[in-house]
Amino acid sequence: MYNRAMGSSFYNTTSERNPQLKMFEGKAATQEDVVAEYFARVPEATPSAIQANCLPNAPMTSIRRAMTNLTNRGILRKSSEKRMGKYGRPEHVWKRV
């Protein structure tokens, strides 16, 4: 089961402060929740598929961050399989654990 309380979803690389920091943390956590919910229904996906199907307005870097965080928490695993991505380059396929 996904438990976001296991760690921070947002990496404050730009030294933001409240209230902006709280807003960014909330948005990152929400993106992670959306990705986790998508993988609860679909066993595997690429970052481009996540963007196309559930986070069309999120930057690709945010989607990859969410997928990496979920991987680090044992929710997803990055497979060696690749598919052609949105930008004409191969992307790894992530799978639900």
Side-chain angles (χ1 to χ4, degrees):
M1 182 91 195
Y2 172 63
N3 180 358
R4 186 172 5 103
M6 294 173 64
S8 177
S9 297
F10 178 73
Y11 298 92
N12 191 10
T13 60
T14 55
S15 302
E16 300 298 328
R17 299 187 189 283
N18 287 326
Q20 192 79 1
L21 177 60
K22 289 290 182 199
M23 183 184 74
F24 290 160
E25 287 173 337
K27 192 169 196 174
T30 300
Q31 290 167 341
E32 226 168 88
D33 291 342
V34 169
V35 172
E37 289 169 12
Y38 184 77
F39 275 97
R41 297 186 317 271
V42 178
E44 61 182 43
T46 63
S48 290
I50 297 292
Q51 189 177 49
N53 292 302
C54 57
L55 288 169
N57 297 318
M60 190 63 73
T61 53
S62 295
I63 293 166
R64 288 189 175 112
R65 178 219 5 99
M67 293 173 80
T68 297
N69 286 349
L70 292 169
T71 299
N72 291 341
R73 293 184 185 133
I75 307 300
L76 303 178
R77 71 175 175 82
K78 185 178 179 179
S79 75
S80 59
E81 181 183 346
K82 295 179 185 177
R83 296 185 189 147
M84 193 56 64
K86 175 180 176 179
Y87 300 108
R89 308 226 17 209
E91 294 181 315
H92 282 275
V93 174
W94 269 258
K95 299 187 178 197
R96 176 177 66 209
V97 173

